[in-house]
Short mmCIF file of all heavy atoms in Angstrom, two decimals:
data_model
loop_
_atom_site.label_atom_id
_atom_site.label_comp_id
_atom_site.label_asym_id
_atom_site.label_seq_id
_atom_site.Cartn_x
_atom_site.Cartn_y
_atom_site.Cartn_z
N MET A 1 -0.88 -11.33 -12.20
CA MET A 1 -0.93 -11.77 -10.86
C MET A 1 -2.26 -11.32 -10.24
O MET A 1 -2.67 -10.19 -10.43
CB MET A 1 0.28 -11.27 -10.06
CG MET A 1 0.27 -11.68 -8.65
SD MET A 1 1.78 -11.26 -7.77
CE MET A 1 2.64 -12.75 -7.96
N GLU A 2 -2.74 -12.15 -9.39
CA GLU A 2 -4.04 -11.86 -8.69
C GLU A 2 -3.87 -10.73 -7.67
O GLU A 2 -2.87 -10.75 -6.90
CB GLU A 2 -4.49 -13.11 -8.00
CG GLU A 2 -5.94 -13.12 -7.56
CD GLU A 2 -6.90 -13.27 -8.67
OE1 GLU A 2 -6.54 -13.72 -9.82
OE2 GLU A 2 -8.06 -12.97 -8.42
N PRO A 3 -4.70 -9.73 -7.69
CA PRO A 3 -4.56 -8.67 -6.66
C PRO A 3 -4.87 -9.20 -5.22
O PRO A 3 -5.69 -10.10 -5.08
CB PRO A 3 -5.56 -7.61 -7.06
CG PRO A 3 -6.53 -8.28 -7.93
CD PRO A 3 -5.83 -9.45 -8.59
N LEU A 4 -4.23 -8.60 -4.26
CA LEU A 4 -4.39 -9.00 -2.87
C LEU A 4 -5.09 -7.86 -2.12
O LEU A 4 -5.24 -6.75 -2.64
CB LEU A 4 -3.07 -9.32 -2.26
CG LEU A 4 -2.18 -10.33 -2.98
CD1 LEU A 4 -0.77 -10.34 -2.45
CD2 LEU A 4 -2.81 -11.72 -2.89
N ASP A 5 -5.43 -8.08 -0.85
CA ASP A 5 -5.94 -6.96 -0.09
C ASP A 5 -4.82 -6.39 0.74
O ASP A 5 -3.67 -6.87 0.75
CB ASP A 5 -7.15 -7.34 0.76
CG ASP A 5 -6.82 -8.33 1.89
OD1 ASP A 5 -5.66 -8.33 2.40
OD2 ASP A 5 -7.70 -9.06 2.29
N GLY A 6 -5.09 -5.30 1.47
CA GLY A 6 -4.08 -4.58 2.19
C GLY A 6 -3.35 -5.39 3.28
O GLY A 6 -2.27 -5.03 3.73
N ASN A 7 -3.98 -6.48 3.73
CA ASN A 7 -3.33 -7.29 4.73
C ASN A 7 -2.03 -7.89 4.21
O ASN A 7 -1.15 -8.23 4.92
CB ASN A 7 -4.26 -8.42 5.15
CG ASN A 7 -5.36 -7.92 5.99
OD1 ASN A 7 -5.18 -7.18 6.99
ND2 ASN A 7 -6.65 -8.20 5.57
N ALA A 8 -1.85 -7.93 2.87
CA ALA A 8 -0.68 -8.47 2.23
C ALA A 8 0.57 -7.67 2.54
O ALA A 8 1.67 -8.19 2.45
CB ALA A 8 -0.89 -8.60 0.69
N ILE A 9 0.37 -6.40 2.93
CA ILE A 9 1.57 -5.65 3.23
C ILE A 9 1.68 -5.40 4.75
O ILE A 9 2.51 -4.55 5.19
CB ILE A 9 1.57 -4.24 2.47
CG1 ILE A 9 0.36 -3.40 2.86
CG2 ILE A 9 1.66 -4.45 0.98
CD1 ILE A 9 0.43 -1.96 2.43
N GLY A 10 0.90 -6.08 5.54
CA GLY A 10 0.99 -5.97 6.98
C GLY A 10 2.39 -6.18 7.50
O GLY A 10 2.90 -5.42 8.31
N GLY A 11 2.97 -7.27 7.10
CA GLY A 11 4.33 -7.59 7.55
C GLY A 11 5.37 -6.59 7.13
O GLY A 11 6.27 -6.21 7.86
N LEU A 12 5.24 -6.11 5.87
CA LEU A 12 6.14 -5.05 5.38
C LEU A 12 6.04 -3.81 6.23
O LEU A 12 7.06 -3.18 6.59
CB LEU A 12 5.86 -4.80 3.91
CG LEU A 12 6.58 -3.61 3.27
CD1 LEU A 12 8.08 -3.87 3.25
CD2 LEU A 12 6.05 -3.38 1.86
N LEU A 13 4.81 -3.43 6.58
CA LEU A 13 4.63 -2.18 7.36
C LEU A 13 5.17 -2.38 8.78
O LEU A 13 5.69 -1.41 9.36
CB LEU A 13 3.12 -1.77 7.35
CG LEU A 13 2.57 -1.36 5.98
CD1 LEU A 13 1.10 -1.12 6.05
CD2 LEU A 13 3.33 -0.12 5.54
N ILE A 14 4.97 -3.53 9.30
CA ILE A 14 5.52 -3.81 10.69
C ILE A 14 7.07 -3.70 10.58
O ILE A 14 7.69 -3.04 11.48
CB ILE A 14 5.09 -5.20 11.19
CG1 ILE A 14 3.60 -5.18 11.49
CG2 ILE A 14 5.92 -5.55 12.39
CD1 ILE A 14 3.00 -6.52 11.89
N SER A 15 7.65 -4.23 9.55
CA SER A 15 9.14 -4.13 9.50
C SER A 15 9.61 -2.72 9.26
O SER A 15 10.69 -2.38 9.75
CB SER A 15 9.68 -5.06 8.32
OG SER A 15 9.32 -4.50 7.08
N LEU A 16 8.81 -1.88 8.61
CA LEU A 16 9.20 -0.46 8.40
C LEU A 16 8.87 0.44 9.52
O LEU A 16 9.63 1.35 9.86
CB LEU A 16 8.56 0.03 7.11
CG LEU A 16 8.95 -0.60 5.78
CD1 LEU A 16 8.11 -0.09 4.65
CD2 LEU A 16 10.43 -0.34 5.53
N LEU A 17 7.68 0.28 10.12
CA LEU A 17 7.18 1.22 11.13
C LEU A 17 7.05 0.64 12.54
O LEU A 17 6.78 1.39 13.46
CB LEU A 17 5.78 1.73 10.70
CG LEU A 17 5.72 2.30 9.29
CD1 LEU A 17 4.33 2.58 8.83
CD2 LEU A 17 6.55 3.60 9.23
N GLY A 18 7.24 -0.65 12.64
CA GLY A 18 7.24 -1.28 14.01
C GLY A 18 5.91 -1.67 14.57
O GLY A 18 5.86 -2.30 15.60
N THR A 19 4.80 -1.29 13.90
CA THR A 19 3.47 -1.70 14.34
C THR A 19 2.57 -2.03 13.15
O THR A 19 2.83 -1.60 12.05
CB THR A 19 2.80 -0.57 15.10
OG1 THR A 19 2.60 0.56 14.30
CG2 THR A 19 3.57 -0.18 16.39
N ASP A 20 1.54 -2.77 13.44
CA ASP A 20 0.59 -3.16 12.39
C ASP A 20 -0.17 -1.88 11.97
O ASP A 20 -0.82 -1.19 12.82
CB ASP A 20 -0.38 -4.19 12.94
CG ASP A 20 -1.35 -4.68 11.88
OD1 ASP A 20 -1.26 -4.28 10.74
OD2 ASP A 20 -2.24 -5.46 12.26
N GLN A 21 -0.18 -1.54 10.70
CA GLN A 21 -0.81 -0.37 10.20
C GLN A 21 -2.07 -0.69 9.33
O GLN A 21 -2.62 0.22 8.70
CB GLN A 21 0.17 0.43 9.35
CG GLN A 21 1.39 0.91 10.13
CD GLN A 21 1.09 1.97 11.17
OE1 GLN A 21 0.38 2.92 10.81
NE2 GLN A 21 1.56 1.81 12.33
N THR A 22 -2.45 -1.96 9.25
CA THR A 22 -3.50 -2.30 8.30
C THR A 22 -4.90 -1.76 8.78
O THR A 22 -5.78 -1.69 7.91
CB THR A 22 -3.59 -3.83 8.16
OG1 THR A 22 -3.72 -4.46 9.40
CG2 THR A 22 -2.34 -4.34 7.40
N ASP A 23 -5.06 -1.35 10.00
CA ASP A 23 -6.30 -0.79 10.44
C ASP A 23 -6.30 0.70 10.38
O ASP A 23 -7.30 1.34 10.74
CB ASP A 23 -6.66 -1.29 11.83
CG ASP A 23 -5.62 -0.86 12.91
OD1 ASP A 23 -4.54 -0.38 12.53
OD2 ASP A 23 -5.94 -0.97 14.09
N VAL A 24 -5.29 1.31 9.83
CA VAL A 24 -5.20 2.78 9.69
C VAL A 24 -6.17 3.17 8.53
O VAL A 24 -6.16 2.50 7.49
CB VAL A 24 -3.78 3.24 9.37
CG1 VAL A 24 -3.70 4.66 8.89
CG2 VAL A 24 -2.91 3.03 10.58
N VAL A 25 -6.88 4.22 8.74
CA VAL A 25 -7.80 4.73 7.66
C VAL A 25 -6.95 5.68 6.76
O VAL A 25 -6.37 6.61 7.22
CB VAL A 25 -9.00 5.46 8.28
CG1 VAL A 25 -9.85 6.09 7.16
CG2 VAL A 25 -9.82 4.50 9.14
N VAL A 26 -7.04 5.39 5.46
CA VAL A 26 -6.31 6.27 4.50
C VAL A 26 -7.36 6.92 3.58
O VAL A 26 -8.41 6.39 3.31
CB VAL A 26 -5.34 5.43 3.67
CG1 VAL A 26 -4.17 4.90 4.52
CG2 VAL A 26 -6.03 4.34 2.90
N THR A 27 -6.97 8.09 3.12
CA THR A 27 -7.86 8.88 2.19
C THR A 27 -7.14 8.95 0.82
O THR A 27 -5.98 9.36 0.79
CB THR A 27 -8.11 10.30 2.75
OG1 THR A 27 -8.76 10.19 3.99
CG2 THR A 27 -8.98 11.06 1.78
N CYS A 28 -7.85 8.55 -0.21
CA CYS A 28 -7.32 8.60 -1.56
C CYS A 28 -7.20 10.00 -2.02
O CYS A 28 -8.13 10.77 -2.01
CB CYS A 28 -8.18 7.80 -2.48
SG CYS A 28 -7.68 7.82 -4.20
N ALA A 29 -5.96 10.37 -2.50
CA ALA A 29 -5.74 11.73 -3.06
C ALA A 29 -6.39 11.93 -4.39
O ALA A 29 -6.55 13.03 -4.85
CB ALA A 29 -4.23 12.05 -3.13
N HIS A 30 -6.78 10.84 -5.05
CA HIS A 30 -7.39 10.90 -6.38
C HIS A 30 -8.92 11.13 -6.35
O HIS A 30 -9.47 11.96 -7.06
CB HIS A 30 -7.10 9.66 -7.18
CG HIS A 30 -5.60 9.29 -7.21
ND1 HIS A 30 -4.75 9.96 -8.07
CD2 HIS A 30 -4.88 8.42 -6.50
CE1 HIS A 30 -3.52 9.49 -7.87
NE2 HIS A 30 -3.57 8.54 -6.91
N CYS A 31 -9.62 10.35 -5.46
CA CYS A 31 -11.05 10.46 -5.47
C CYS A 31 -11.66 10.82 -4.08
O CYS A 31 -12.82 11.08 -3.95
CB CYS A 31 -11.68 9.14 -5.89
SG CYS A 31 -11.52 7.79 -4.70
N GLY A 32 -10.80 10.88 -3.00
CA GLY A 32 -11.27 11.29 -1.72
C GLY A 32 -11.90 10.15 -0.90
O GLY A 32 -12.36 10.38 0.21
N ALA A 33 -11.97 8.92 -1.47
CA ALA A 33 -12.53 7.82 -0.73
C ALA A 33 -11.65 7.49 0.49
O ALA A 33 -10.42 7.60 0.49
CB ALA A 33 -12.61 6.56 -1.64
N THR A 34 -12.33 7.10 1.59
CA THR A 34 -11.61 6.70 2.79
C THR A 34 -11.93 5.26 3.13
O THR A 34 -13.07 4.85 3.02
CB THR A 34 -11.90 7.60 3.98
OG1 THR A 34 -13.33 7.52 4.23
CG2 THR A 34 -11.49 9.02 3.75
N ARG A 35 -10.94 4.49 3.51
CA ARG A 35 -11.14 3.13 3.94
C ARG A 35 -9.90 2.68 4.67
O ARG A 35 -8.83 3.28 4.60
CB ARG A 35 -11.50 2.23 2.81
CG ARG A 35 -10.44 2.04 1.78
CD ARG A 35 -10.85 1.11 0.65
NE ARG A 35 -11.87 1.70 -0.20
CZ ARG A 35 -13.09 1.18 -0.40
NH1 ARG A 35 -13.45 0.09 0.21
NH2 ARG A 35 -14.00 1.80 -1.21
N MET A 36 -10.04 1.54 5.37
CA MET A 36 -8.91 1.03 6.09
C MET A 36 -7.88 0.49 5.07
O MET A 36 -8.26 -0.07 4.01
CB MET A 36 -9.29 -0.15 7.04
CG MET A 36 -10.10 0.35 8.26
SD MET A 36 -10.23 -0.90 9.51
CE MET A 36 -10.46 -2.42 8.70
N LEU A 37 -6.61 0.61 5.43
CA LEU A 37 -5.59 0.12 4.58
C LEU A 37 -5.76 -1.37 4.15
O LEU A 37 -5.50 -1.78 3.01
CB LEU A 37 -4.20 0.34 5.22
CG LEU A 37 -3.01 0.01 4.35
CD1 LEU A 37 -3.01 0.70 3.00
CD2 LEU A 37 -1.72 0.31 5.12
N ALA A 38 -6.27 -2.14 5.10
CA ALA A 38 -6.54 -3.56 4.83
C ALA A 38 -7.49 -3.76 3.72
O ALA A 38 -7.52 -4.86 3.10
CB ALA A 38 -7.03 -4.27 6.11
N GLU A 39 -8.38 -2.81 3.42
CA GLU A 39 -9.36 -2.94 2.39
C GLU A 39 -8.87 -2.46 1.01
O GLU A 39 -9.63 -2.63 0.03
CB GLU A 39 -10.63 -2.13 2.80
CG GLU A 39 -11.22 -2.64 4.06
CD GLU A 39 -12.35 -1.72 4.57
OE1 GLU A 39 -12.28 -0.46 4.33
OE2 GLU A 39 -13.32 -2.25 5.13
N CYS A 40 -7.71 -1.96 0.94
CA CYS A 40 -7.18 -1.46 -0.34
C CYS A 40 -6.64 -2.62 -1.23
O CYS A 40 -6.64 -3.77 -0.69
CB CYS A 40 -6.02 -0.53 -0.11
SG CYS A 40 -6.56 1.03 0.76
N VAL A 41 -6.35 -2.40 -2.44
CA VAL A 41 -5.94 -3.46 -3.37
C VAL A 41 -4.40 -3.41 -3.51
O VAL A 41 -3.82 -2.32 -3.73
CB VAL A 41 -6.63 -3.27 -4.75
CG1 VAL A 41 -6.25 -4.37 -5.67
CG2 VAL A 41 -8.12 -3.18 -4.56
N VAL A 42 -3.78 -4.56 -3.40
CA VAL A 42 -2.35 -4.64 -3.46
C VAL A 42 -1.95 -5.53 -4.68
O VAL A 42 -2.45 -6.63 -4.83
CB VAL A 42 -1.74 -5.24 -2.16
CG1 VAL A 42 -0.27 -5.49 -2.25
CG2 VAL A 42 -2.05 -4.38 -0.95
N PHE A 43 -0.96 -4.98 -5.40
CA PHE A 43 -0.38 -5.75 -6.55
C PHE A 43 1.11 -6.00 -6.22
O PHE A 43 1.79 -5.00 -5.95
CB PHE A 43 -0.56 -5.02 -7.86
CG PHE A 43 -2.00 -4.87 -8.27
CD1 PHE A 43 -2.68 -3.76 -7.87
CD2 PHE A 43 -2.57 -5.84 -9.03
CE1 PHE A 43 -4.06 -3.64 -8.22
CE2 PHE A 43 -3.91 -5.70 -9.45
CZ PHE A 43 -4.62 -4.61 -9.02
N ARG A 44 1.54 -7.20 -6.33
CA ARG A 44 2.93 -7.46 -6.06
C ARG A 44 3.75 -7.86 -7.27
O ARG A 44 4.89 -8.23 -7.15
CB ARG A 44 3.02 -8.62 -4.99
CG ARG A 44 2.73 -8.11 -3.60
CD ARG A 44 3.22 -9.11 -2.62
NE ARG A 44 3.41 -8.51 -1.35
CZ ARG A 44 3.38 -9.17 -0.19
NH1 ARG A 44 3.14 -10.48 -0.19
NH2 ARG A 44 3.62 -8.56 0.91
N SER A 45 3.12 -7.79 -8.43
CA SER A 45 3.85 -8.06 -9.66
C SER A 45 4.67 -6.84 -10.00
O SER A 45 4.38 -5.75 -9.61
CB SER A 45 2.91 -8.43 -10.76
OG SER A 45 2.00 -7.40 -10.99
N GLY A 46 5.68 -7.03 -10.83
CA GLY A 46 6.52 -5.91 -11.23
C GLY A 46 7.67 -5.66 -10.28
O GLY A 46 7.92 -6.44 -9.36
N PRO A 47 8.28 -4.53 -10.38
CA PRO A 47 9.50 -4.25 -9.54
C PRO A 47 9.25 -3.89 -8.10
O PRO A 47 10.12 -3.87 -7.27
CB PRO A 47 10.12 -3.11 -10.25
CG PRO A 47 9.03 -2.37 -10.91
CD PRO A 47 8.05 -3.47 -11.28
N GLY A 48 7.96 -3.71 -7.73
CA GLY A 48 7.70 -3.31 -6.35
C GLY A 48 6.25 -3.73 -5.97
O GLY A 48 5.58 -4.47 -6.67
N THR A 49 5.85 -3.22 -4.84
CA THR A 49 4.50 -3.43 -4.39
C THR A 49 3.69 -2.15 -4.56
O THR A 49 4.11 -1.13 -4.09
CB THR A 49 4.54 -3.87 -2.89
OG1 THR A 49 5.35 -5.07 -2.79
CG2 THR A 49 3.14 -4.09 -2.36
N VAL A 50 2.54 -2.24 -5.18
CA VAL A 50 1.69 -1.10 -5.44
C VAL A 50 0.32 -1.33 -4.73
O VAL A 50 -0.26 -2.35 -4.80
CB VAL A 50 1.43 -0.93 -6.94
CG1 VAL A 50 0.47 0.24 -7.20
CG2 VAL A 50 2.73 -0.74 -7.70
N VAL A 51 -0.04 -0.23 -3.96
CA VAL A 51 -1.33 -0.26 -3.28
C VAL A 51 -2.21 0.73 -4.02
O VAL A 51 -1.87 1.86 -4.20
CB VAL A 51 -1.13 0.20 -1.80
CG1 VAL A 51 -2.48 0.20 -1.08
CG2 VAL A 51 -0.15 -0.68 -1.07
N ARG A 52 -3.42 0.25 -4.38
CA ARG A 52 -4.35 1.05 -5.15
C ARG A 52 -5.67 1.20 -4.42
O ARG A 52 -6.10 0.34 -3.61
CB ARG A 52 -4.63 0.40 -6.52
CG ARG A 52 -3.41 0.42 -7.43
CD ARG A 52 -3.76 0.10 -8.87
NE ARG A 52 -2.60 0.28 -9.74
CZ ARG A 52 -2.27 1.42 -10.29
NH1 ARG A 52 -2.97 2.52 -10.07
NH2 ARG A 52 -1.17 1.52 -11.04
N CYS A 53 -6.32 2.29 -4.69
CA CYS A 53 -7.61 2.60 -4.10
C CYS A 53 -8.67 1.58 -4.65
O CYS A 53 -8.72 1.36 -5.86
CB CYS A 53 -8.00 4.05 -4.44
SG CYS A 53 -9.69 4.50 -4.00
N ARG A 54 -9.44 1.04 -3.78
CA ARG A 54 -10.47 0.11 -4.21
C ARG A 54 -11.62 0.81 -4.93
O ARG A 54 -12.32 0.24 -5.73
CB ARG A 54 -11.01 -0.72 -3.02
CG ARG A 54 -11.92 -1.88 -3.42
CD ARG A 54 -12.19 -2.78 -2.27
NE ARG A 54 -11.05 -3.50 -1.83
CZ ARG A 54 -10.63 -4.65 -2.37
NH1 ARG A 54 -11.22 -5.13 -3.40
NH2 ARG A 54 -9.58 -5.27 -1.85
N SER A 55 -11.80 2.12 -4.70
CA SER A 55 -12.88 2.84 -5.29
C SER A 55 -12.54 3.33 -6.76
O SER A 55 -13.35 3.14 -7.61
CB SER A 55 -13.23 4.09 -4.47
OG SER A 55 -13.68 3.68 -3.22
N CYS A 56 -11.36 3.89 -6.95
CA CYS A 56 -11.09 4.48 -8.28
C CYS A 56 -9.86 3.81 -8.92
O CYS A 56 -9.55 4.12 -10.09
CB CYS A 56 -10.78 5.97 -8.14
SG CYS A 56 -9.21 6.44 -7.38
N GLY A 57 -9.14 3.02 -8.24
CA GLY A 57 -7.98 2.35 -8.81
C GLY A 57 -6.76 3.20 -8.76
O GLY A 57 -5.67 2.80 -9.29
N GLY A 58 -6.84 4.37 -8.26
CA GLY A 58 -5.64 5.29 -8.20
C GLY A 58 -4.58 4.73 -7.31
O GLY A 58 -4.80 3.98 -6.33
N GLN A 59 -3.36 5.05 -7.65
CA GLN A 59 -2.15 4.59 -6.90
C GLN A 59 -2.02 5.37 -5.60
O GLN A 59 -1.88 6.57 -5.60
CB GLN A 59 -0.96 4.79 -7.80
CG GLN A 59 0.32 4.22 -7.24
CD GLN A 59 1.48 4.41 -8.19
OE1 GLN A 59 1.51 3.76 -9.27
NE2 GLN A 59 2.37 5.26 -7.90
N LEU A 60 -2.08 4.58 -4.47
CA LEU A 60 -1.95 5.18 -3.16
C LEU A 60 -0.52 5.19 -2.65
O LEU A 60 0.02 6.17 -2.12
CB LEU A 60 -2.82 4.46 -2.18
CG LEU A 60 -4.35 4.48 -2.43
CD1 LEU A 60 -5.06 3.60 -1.46
CD2 LEU A 60 -4.89 5.86 -2.42
N MET A 61 0.11 3.99 -2.76
CA MET A 61 1.44 3.79 -2.19
C MET A 61 2.24 2.89 -3.15
O MET A 61 1.68 2.01 -3.79
CB MET A 61 1.37 3.09 -0.84
CG MET A 61 0.52 3.76 0.13
SD MET A 61 0.36 2.73 1.67
CE MET A 61 -0.87 3.66 2.52
N VAL A 62 3.54 3.08 -3.15
CA VAL A 62 4.45 2.20 -3.85
C VAL A 62 5.61 1.90 -2.91
O VAL A 62 6.20 2.82 -2.33
CB VAL A 62 4.98 2.81 -5.11
CG1 VAL A 62 5.97 1.84 -5.84
CG2 VAL A 62 3.82 3.17 -6.11
N PHE A 63 5.98 0.64 -2.85
CA PHE A 63 7.13 0.19 -1.98
C PHE A 63 8.09 -0.50 -3.00
O PHE A 63 7.65 -1.46 -3.68
CB PHE A 63 6.73 -0.80 -0.92
CG PHE A 63 5.69 -0.27 0.04
CD1 PHE A 63 4.37 -0.34 -0.23
CD2 PHE A 63 6.16 0.31 1.22
CE1 PHE A 63 3.41 0.21 0.67
CE2 PHE A 63 5.24 0.83 2.10
CZ PHE A 63 3.87 0.80 1.86
N VAL A 64 9.32 -0.04 -3.00
CA VAL A 64 10.35 -0.69 -3.83
C VAL A 64 11.57 -0.98 -2.99
O VAL A 64 12.07 -0.11 -2.30
CB VAL A 64 10.74 0.24 -5.03
CG1 VAL A 64 11.84 -0.38 -5.88
CG2 VAL A 64 9.54 0.58 -5.91
N GLN A 65 11.96 -2.28 -3.01
CA GLN A 65 13.11 -2.64 -2.23
C GLN A 65 14.34 -2.79 -3.15
O GLN A 65 14.26 -3.44 -4.24
CB GLN A 65 12.84 -3.96 -1.51
CG GLN A 65 11.82 -3.76 -0.44
CD GLN A 65 11.54 -5.01 0.34
OE1 GLN A 65 11.32 -6.06 -0.20
NE2 GLN A 65 11.57 -4.86 1.66
N ARG A 66 15.41 -2.17 -2.73
CA ARG A 66 16.69 -2.24 -3.47
C ARG A 66 17.74 -2.53 -2.46
O ARG A 66 17.99 -1.72 -1.58
CB ARG A 66 16.89 -0.88 -4.14
CG ARG A 66 18.24 -0.83 -4.90
CD ARG A 66 18.07 -1.18 -6.35
NE ARG A 66 19.34 -0.88 -7.04
CZ ARG A 66 19.74 -1.64 -7.97
NH1 ARG A 66 19.06 -2.63 -8.36
NH2 ARG A 66 20.89 -1.39 -8.52
N HIS A 67 18.35 -3.70 -2.59
CA HIS A 67 19.31 -4.19 -1.59
C HIS A 67 18.66 -4.14 -0.23
O HIS A 67 17.62 -4.74 -0.07
CB HIS A 67 20.59 -3.40 -1.62
CG HIS A 67 21.24 -3.38 -2.96
ND1 HIS A 67 21.80 -4.51 -3.54
CD2 HIS A 67 21.34 -2.43 -3.94
CE1 HIS A 67 22.24 -4.27 -4.76
NE2 HIS A 67 22.01 -2.98 -4.99
N ASP A 68 19.11 -3.44 0.77
CA ASP A 68 18.54 -3.41 2.10
C ASP A 68 17.75 -2.16 2.33
O ASP A 68 17.36 -1.89 3.52
CB ASP A 68 19.64 -3.53 3.18
CG ASP A 68 20.26 -4.88 3.16
OD1 ASP A 68 19.62 -5.86 2.65
OD2 ASP A 68 21.44 -4.95 3.61
N VAL A 69 17.44 -1.43 1.31
CA VAL A 69 16.69 -0.15 1.47
C VAL A 69 15.29 -0.28 0.88
O VAL A 69 15.13 -0.80 -0.28
CB VAL A 69 17.45 0.99 0.76
CG1 VAL A 69 16.64 2.28 0.85
CG2 VAL A 69 18.82 1.18 1.38
N THR A 70 14.29 0.18 1.56
CA THR A 70 12.94 0.21 1.04
C THR A 70 12.54 1.61 0.79
O THR A 70 12.55 2.48 1.68
CB THR A 70 11.96 -0.46 2.01
OG1 THR A 70 12.33 -1.76 2.31
CG2 THR A 70 10.48 -0.40 1.49
N CYS A 71 12.25 1.93 -0.47
CA CYS A 71 11.76 3.26 -0.87
C CYS A 71 10.24 3.28 -0.86
O CYS A 71 9.61 2.35 -1.37
CB CYS A 71 12.22 3.67 -2.24
SG CYS A 71 14.04 3.71 -2.35
N VAL A 72 9.64 4.31 -0.25
CA VAL A 72 8.21 4.37 -0.05
C VAL A 72 7.67 5.67 -0.67
O VAL A 72 8.15 6.72 -0.38
CB VAL A 72 7.83 4.33 1.40
CG1 VAL A 72 6.31 4.35 1.59
CG2 VAL A 72 8.42 3.09 2.13
N ASP A 73 6.71 5.51 -1.55
CA ASP A 73 6.05 6.68 -2.16
C ASP A 73 4.58 6.69 -1.70
O ASP A 73 3.84 5.76 -1.92
CB ASP A 73 6.07 6.52 -3.73
CG ASP A 73 5.33 7.64 -4.42
OD1 ASP A 73 4.59 8.37 -3.80
OD2 ASP A 73 5.56 7.78 -5.64
N LEU A 74 4.22 7.75 -0.94
CA LEU A 74 2.89 7.83 -0.35
C LEU A 74 2.08 9.00 -1.00
O LEU A 74 1.15 9.49 -0.39
CB LEU A 74 2.95 8.05 1.14
CG LEU A 74 3.70 6.99 1.94
CD1 LEU A 74 3.78 7.42 3.42
CD2 LEU A 74 2.97 5.68 1.85
N LEU A 75 2.42 9.40 -2.17
CA LEU A 75 1.84 10.59 -2.80
C LEU A 75 0.37 10.36 -3.12
O LEU A 75 -0.31 11.42 -3.29
CB LEU A 75 2.62 10.96 -4.09
CG LEU A 75 4.02 11.51 -3.85
CD1 LEU A 75 4.68 11.84 -5.16
CD2 LEU A 75 4.00 12.81 -2.99
N GLY A 76 -0.08 9.20 -3.14
CA GLY A 76 -1.57 9.03 -3.44
C GLY A 76 -2.41 9.04 -2.21
O GLY A 76 -3.57 8.82 -2.30
N VAL A 77 -1.82 9.26 -1.03
CA VAL A 77 -2.61 9.30 0.21
C VAL A 77 -2.61 10.72 0.73
O VAL A 77 -1.60 11.37 0.83
CB VAL A 77 -1.92 8.37 1.26
CG1 VAL A 77 -2.69 8.45 2.58
CG2 VAL A 77 -1.89 6.96 0.75
N GLN A 78 -3.81 11.14 1.13
CA GLN A 78 -3.95 12.46 1.71
C GLN A 78 -3.67 12.44 3.19
O GLN A 78 -4.02 11.51 3.86
CB GLN A 78 -5.32 13.08 1.52
CG GLN A 78 -5.56 13.50 0.09
CD GLN A 78 -6.91 14.15 -0.11
OE1 GLN A 78 -7.88 13.81 0.57
NE2 GLN A 78 -7.03 15.01 -1.07
ZN1 ZN B 101 -9.54 6.65 -5.10
#
C-alpha cells in the first residue's frame, strides 16, 4: 500500500482528542528529528495505522482499533 502523509490520521486524531493535531510538532525518539505530524509518513496496511518518521523511518505511533476501543502507542515520540 502506498504511504500517506500525516493528514491521513487527522480525522482519527479529532475523534480521539477532539481537535486537529496534524500541526503539532513531534520529535522522533529514534533520531531526534522534529517536524509537524502532517509531514510524517502513515501506513494503513496491516492490523493498524503506523506513523513513521520521515527522516529515519522509525516508528513514532501505532493506532490499533479493536471493536470500539482504539489503542495508541506513542513510544516513538519524545
Ligand atoms: Zn527519526
